[in-house]
Amino acid sequence: MTNENTREWAIVPEPNSMTVGEGAVSLPYAGRVNESIAIGDGDYLLARQLVADIRSTTGLDWDYATGGMWPGFISLHIADSDASEEAGTPGAYTLTIDTDGIAITGYDFEGMRNGVQTLRQLIRQNGAVLPVLQIEDAPAYQIRGYYLDATRGRVPTLAWLKQWADKLCLYKYNQLQLYIEHTFAFDGMSETWRGSSPLKPADILEFDQYCANLGIELVPSVSTFGHQYVAMRTQELRELGEFPEDADRPFSFIERMRHHTLNVADDRAFAFSTQLVDSYLQLFRTKRFNICADETFDLGKGQSKQEAQRVGVATLYATYVGKLCEHLSQQGHEPMFWGDIAIEMPEILETLPNNVTLLNWQYDPEATDEKIQLVAKAGAKQVVCPAVWGWNALLPRIDDAWNNIARIARYGLDCGAEGILITDWGDFGHINDPRMAVPGMIFGAQYAWNPAGDSAGDTAENDLLARISRVEYDDCSARFVALLRNASAQAVFTWRELVEYLELDDGAGNCNTDVAQTIPCLTERLANQENALTLREARDRMMRNMATIIERVPQANRKLQQCMVEIAPIMAHIGKPGITAAVRIAMEGQLLLNRVGFALAYAHGVREAHDVDDRQPSDYRTLARELECWCEAYAKEWAVTSQPSELHRIQETVWKAADELRRISK
């Protein structure tokens, strides 16, 4: 690993082999990129990427061409058939920069694309004067994917999806999946997707082509079994759910995550699932298809209970998933699905067809390799899936993301996993701005490419944070991401706790026991109750359980404000107004959430008002107004990346919090 203290530029992911020479190479004023036609880049996208970066970074106006009559200072060509063993790895490339010019040789189109991205990073940091170097590089994982939640509150705009695909390309990802429950405009299902700003067939066709040009495989992913919350609450489809009697309950972020599984004992369920699959797959060029089938919490507990008692829950699950996989296989497609249920019931692993890929997700920052080894020993194909750790939070949990991704990538490689899929979820309304996921995404890029390239420990993490600061954020101080990490560590009372506190109210002033069952400090009380748990008691217990944490608020907010002071000049110098606004809104929002937690703790008698930083009840109305003003600014930033979709649910949650503050101030 190269010591970042010895140079002022970086490459992410770090190349496997790099030799930096003496001196530097100046780009000519009127240069050219020569891209071989054998690369198969029909629109000469790779040459155009380089020309665009040279123009934006140096102001130089370069040309591009192909053929032997048009030599270029930068040449892009495919390796000869007698290439070395390492250069023969799919995705491999070599990059040479010396006084004679710049040459990139790729084993295949993907290898050429990868080499071009490395050169682009160098140009963006060094401008017209590049270091003399030689790189030989190849990826550890052949599948390096990103999984983006596009359904639980936030539907990205097509323009932003293209920007995200551009960024994935720059960091050498080669697969992207969009998570869809109800946010696609399927024919005949308008009651399900109405009001959600759904993606449409034309969006997918255009985006699929855009991704293909970048060397990214866009894989369809749609829930076909669990997570049918919206569909199973409609008038037309509710009878297909395990608990149709619950279809008219008030909306709940928490219940959305845990209920409304398809009743697969009903023959109509398979027709419903295959309708989704058959119509969606026609819009994609890939042969892979992710049917999801995860977290089927209600299976065998409602309408399918009798059938589950007859055959067993594992058999009921495996039979249905097997039918869906077979349905796809008969059409020449390769099924994928989330592996949580199969791993909980290992007998399912033995029934998987050979062409099925298990998506083995584990999000614990301290995860072991047990589940990955279990799948490997069963002989099943698997892709390992860590997370960027952005859900339920305004600021990304960078330490958790780094620990989770670095561990899972190493475990997967050791166990022969076929790929890695970095997940980016938006639980509880997708409060997390997608731009906050960039550091986690780049962690995934590093460890998908070279899981063993960085040693474990704080030094490796800090080195990577510095490299990301330089490459992604143009931060010469290399401190931007570390400050973002420090800020996220000051999240005491988070969006999750706010949602839990508010949703304990069932809407009629009673305790919502389904919500209470998801809060660990309340489960024992629910299990041993003689009298019903009241809303007041539930909230008292929740806040008292947080007493020690809540006492950190004054100190945490001081530290968070200091992070804001230190990061402000860095953001001013890097000249990226989009990320500047997103970071500022996120930090301001967390300051307010911490204060809300402090106020609620006081209202429930958890703490005495004696600290000079305490907010007395008379100040809570001011805090309520500040929340509402912040929410307006947040909504404007939402529109930068996303359709309106379910922004209103986040706004309504903030307004409920403001109203609660006004109530307790009386």
Side-chain angles (χ1 to χ4, degrees):
M1 179 172 60
T2 303
N3 186 344
E4 280 303 309
N5 293 326
T6 65
R7 52 180 165 85
E8 296 183 353
W9 53 268
I11 300 170
V12 182
E14 186 83 1
N16 290 288
S17 173
M18 178 171 65
T19 302
V20 180
E22 297 294 330
V25 175
S26 295
L27 298 179
Y29 181 80
R32 177 185 296 130
V33 179
N34 180 282
E35 180 177 350
S36 170
I37 197 170
I39 293 171
D41 179 16
D43 292 331
Y44 298 98
L45 173 69
L46 300 178
R48 290 190 288 110
Q49 284 182 330
L50 289 169
V51 167
D53 278 349
I54 291 170
R55 181 182 298 115
S56 64
T57 305
T58 71
L60 301 179
D61 193 11
W62 275 40
D63 188 18
Y64 65 91
T66 191
M69 301 298 291
W70 301 94
F73 190 78
I74 299 177
S75 64
L76 314 178
H77 59 274
I78 292 293
D80 296 332
S81 57
D82 60 348
S84 67
E85 182 178 346
E86 181 176 279
T89 302
Y93 71 93
T94 62
L95 167 62
T96 302
I97 302 176
D98 59 32
T99 53
D100 294 329
I102 300 171
I104 302 177
T105 302
Y107 168 75
D108 49 15
F109 169 78
E110 184 180 344
M112 178 55 62
R113 182 203 71 150
N114 294 335
V116 166
Q117 307 317 308
T118 297
L119 181 55
R120 291 177 67 202
Q121 291 185 20
L122 290 169
I123 291 169
R124 290 181 173 197
Q125 296 170 81
N126 293 282
V129 182
L130 301 178
V132 172
L133 55 73
Q134 172 75 28
I135 290 175
E136 294 184 7
D137 209 6
Y141 282 106
Q142 289 304 301
I143 296 174
R144 303 178 304 283
Y146 197 84
Y147 195 85
L148 179 64
D149 191 338
T151 208
R152 288 177 177 162
R154 188 187 290 267
V155 178
T157 65
L158 183 57
W160 187 83
L161 283 174
K162 290 179 179 179
Q163 292 178 35
W164 191 249
D166 289 337
K167 200 172 293 293
L168 293 177
C169 174
L170 181 64
Y171 294 106
K172 304 183 177 72
Y173 279 85
N174 62 5
Q175 188 184 104
L176 173 62
Q177 300 187 32
L178 304 178
Y179 175 57
I180 299 293
E181 289 176 9
H182 65 284
T183 51
F184 185 77
F186 289 105
D187 279 355
M189 294 183 62
S190 56
E191 189 187 2
T192 301
W193 50 253
R194 66 188 185 189
S196 68
S197 308
L199 293 166
K200 297 179 174 60
D203 297 324
I204 295 298
L205 292 173
E206 184 175 342
F207 190 48
D208 186 55
Q209 181 65 58
Y210 191 86
C211 288
N213 291 344
L214 293 171
I216 296 173
E217 176 189 21
L218 185 65
V219 174
S221 173
V222 64
S223 288
T224 59
F225 195 166
H227 289 297
Q228 294 290 343
Y229 185 74
V230 176
M232 297 302 104
R233 286 163 59 85
T234 63
Q235 295 292 330
E236 293 188 19
L237 296 172
R238 64 177 60 193
E239 291 303 318
L240 296 183
E242 284 279 10
F243 294 105
E245 63 271 19
D246 288 342
D248 293 320
R249 288 170 63 96
F251 176 88
S252 164
F253 283 132
I254 295 172
E255 290 186 44
R256 169 190 261 180
M257 299 299 301
R258 301 186 62 83
H259 293 295
H260 295 275
T261 301
L262 199 63
N263 170 22
V264 296
D266 189 323
D267 292 338
R268 296 173 296 174
F270 188 69
F272 168 75
S273 296
T274 53
Q275 177 188 354
L276 298 177
V277 169
D278 293 347
S279 56
Y280 203 42
L281 65 79
Q282 293 182 358
L283 304 175
F284 298 79
R285 67 192 64 205
T286 181
K287 291 299 182 182
R288 303 184 213 264
F289 195 106
N290 181 4
I291 60 172
C292 294
D294 59 316
E295 297 188 327
T296 52
F297 297 118
D298 296 332
L299 183 64
K301 298 178 180 178
Q303 299 282 84
S304 70
K305 185 174 183 178
Q306 184 174 352
E307 181 66 10
Q309 290 174 338
R310 187 179 71 84
V311 302
V313 174
T315 298
L316 190 60
Y317 178 89
T319 299
Y320 195 75
V321 170
K323 284 174 61 180
L324 285 175
C325 290
E326 179 63 23
H327 179 79
L328 279 162
S329 298
Q330 289 175 351
Q331 300 179 69
H333 285 265
E334 301 173 20
M336 312 171 87
F337 71 95
W338 298 109
D340 52 307
I341 305 301
I343 290 170
E344 288 176 8
M345 306 173 187
E347 61 268 34
I348 295 173
L349 295 174
E350 301 173 2
T351 69
L352 296 179
N354 292 332
N355 69 331
V356 173
T357 299
L358 202 73
L359 301 174
N360 194 349
W361 61 269
Q362 292 185 81
Y363 303 149
D364 186 349
E366 304 298 325
T368 69
D369 64 351
E370 181 181 0
K371 292 182 178 179
I372 297 172
Q373 285 200 23
L374 176 67
V375 175
K377 289 176 181 177
K381 293 198 302 183
Q382 66 176 318
V383 167
V384 293
C385 308
V388 300
W389 271 85
W391 60 86
N392 298 338
L394 289 167
L395 292 164
R397 295 175 287 265
I398 288 176
D399 282 342
D400 288 339
W402 183 81
N403 278 297
N404 181 225
I405 292 169
R407 285 171 182 270
I408 296 301
R410 288 195 293 269
Y411 298 156
L413 194 65
D414 290 343
C415 292
E418 298 195 346
I420 186 168
L421 185 66
I422 309 300
T423 62
D424 183 355
W425 296 103
D427 307 7
F428 293 13
H430 213 141
I431 189 77
N432 39 309
D433 188 306
R435 291 167 291 185
M436 295 291 98
V438 170
M441 179 270 283
I442 302 178
F443 292 168
Q446 172 64 53
Y447 291 105
W449 192 268
N450 189 1
D454 285 332
S455 60
D458 292 341
T459 300
E461 181 184 4
N462 290 335
D463 174 78
L464 184 52
L465 298 187
R467 283 191 278 137
I468 295 171
S469 295
R470 291 187 186 280
V471 177
E472 172 62 23
Y473 298 105
D474 304 327
D475 173 22
C476 294
S477 75
R479 298 177 62 228
F480 180 87
V481 184
L483 286 169
L484 189 60
R485 175 192 60 184
N486 295 347
S488 70
Q490 311 313 318
V492 176
F493 191 77
T494 69
W495 180 253
R496 180 187 184 93
E497 279 89 37
L498 179 63
V499 169
E500 288 175 340
Y501 180 90
L502 295 173
E503 290 196 358
L504 278 170
D505 187 342
D506 67 357
N510 303 310
C511 178
N512 184 330
T513 55
D514 280 344
V515 170
Q517 287 169 357
T518 69
I519 303 174
C521 67
L522 300 181
T523 53
E524 183 179 350
R525 170 64 176 80
L526 289 168
N528 298 292
Q529 62 181 357
E530 295 180 2
N531 300 310
L533 183 65
T534 67
L535 175 60
R536 177 71 191 194
E537 182 184 1
R539 286 178 167 175
D540 282 347
R541 283 175 172 264
M542 177 184 170
M543 296 310 300
R544 286 174 188 153
N545 188 64
M546 295 188 68
T548 303
I549 299 173
I550 289 292
E551 289 299 326
R552 287 186 50 229
V553 166
Q555 180 184 22
N557 274 8
R558 285 192 291 269
K559 289 182 178 179
L560 183 49
Q561 287 168 332
Q562 182 60 35
C563 286
M564 295 171 69
V565 169
E566 293 182 37
I567 207 169
I570 295 174
M571 293 192 295
H573 282 96
I574 65 179
K576 293 180 180 287
I579 190 62
T580 297
V583 169
R584 182 75 183 190
I585 290 295
M587 289 185 174
E588 291 281 6
Q590 188 55 58
L591 282 170
L592 291 170
L593 283 177
N594 284 349
R595 288 171 56 194
V596 169
F598 213 56
L600 295 177
Y602 179 85
H604 286 273
V606 173
R607 37 164 290 280
E608 298 296 330
H610 56 76
D611 194 290
V612 294
D613 290 291
D614 283 5
R615 301 287 174 169
Q616 301 297 322
S618 59
D619 296 320
Y620 296 166
R621 294 179 183 177
T622 300
L623 178 55
R625 297 186 197 111
E626 290 177 18
L627 268 178
E628 289 159 343
C629 291
W630 172 85
C631 193
E632 290 301 302
Y634 175 87
K636 290 181 180 178
E637 280 307 302
W638 176 287
V640 174
T641 64
S642 309
Q643 300 282 359
S645 31
E646 294 185 42
L647 171 62
H648 67 94
R649 297 199 190 279
I650 288 178
Q651 292 172 312
E652 289 163 2
T653 301
V654 173
W655 299 336
K656 285 181 182 178
D659 291 344
E660 184 69 13
L661 289 169
R662 291 187 173 97
R663 185 188 67 78
I664 64 177
S665 70
K666 296 178 180 178

